[in-house]
Amino acid sequence: MRETELESLLATDGLPASGRIAELRRGLPKPLVELHRRILSCFASSSAPVPLDFLEREAASLGLQATEAAAALAEVDLVHIDLEARSVTVAYPFSGRPTPHEVTLRDGTHRYAMCAIDALGVPPMLGVAATIRSVDPDTAQAVMVDVDESELHWEPEALVVGIATTSTDTCGPAAQSRCPDINFHLSRLSAETYWSARGMQGTVLTLPEAARAGVLIFGDLLDGAR
């Protein structure tokens, strides 16, 4: 699949194609853009959840009021926080809570991703090799993807990424409306069988296509800020 075809497919499926997140950030004041970059950098540098104290401290250093800044980032669906847990729960591609998609960096530390494509976007975003471990949502069978620079190795051999859709429009943050339906599947047939049993449809990507999607969406988000 050509890159332009992949970008068109992502847009059709309601996912941010190349440059979309950068476009969202360009519409924000520079201090908010910098705060978003700092939150991503904090996720990148530590396997621990990003505490609300960090957001409050960094917001203040940029002349921002933390609550208003968090609301502005949530409005454009870049960052979401949990006030009760006092932590950042979403900063795509990262999740502040455990998910089925665990990314183990070569230094042995772990990150959680919001969905299968987000998981594949973490290694190129950070510029490091990593191993992704997840499960097929139907059978709970474990799957694995090794990402090392431009090389991919995965198990099982027929592994794919499925982007499920429903017959009705989805709304709300992608963390709720899209991410739960973007998963690794044991094969194209297993993805289609899973969707059929739930009245869903979807698009199947090969592992190389899904990995390229991860690069298109997240690859340049931390350029110059790693």
Side-chain angles (χ1 to χ4, degrees), residues 20 32 46 78 90 120 122-123 163 180 187 206 212 225:
R20 174 57 178 159
L32 270 179
S46 173
L78 290 175
V90 178
L120 289 164
V122 170
I163 304 173
S187 66
T206 67
R212 185 59 190 152

Side-chain angles (χ1 to χ4, degrees), residues 145 157 195:
V145 182
E157 185 177 354
W195 297 334

Side-chain angles (χ1 to χ4, degrees), residues 50-120:
V50 176
L52 195 55
D53 291 347
F54 172 87
L55 187 150
E56 292 172 343
R57 183 173 65 251
E58 297 301 317
S61 74
L62 293 166
L64 298 169
Q65 201 284 327
T67 303
E68 294 176 357
L73 291 174
E75 185 174 357
V76 292
D77 196 17
L78 290 175
V79 172
H80 299 278
I81 65 173
D82 184 334
L83 290 174
E84 290 187 5
R86 291 194 58 79
S87 66
V88 177
T89 53
V90 178
Y92 310 99
F94 300 109
S95 171
R97 296 170 174 162
T99 71
H101 316 290
E102 184 179 44
V103 183
T104 302
L105 307 184
R106 282 297 182 258
D107 64 5
T109 60
H110 304 277
R111 307 293 187 275
Y112 288 102
M114 293 301 303
C115 71
I117 290 179
D118 286 24
L120 289 164

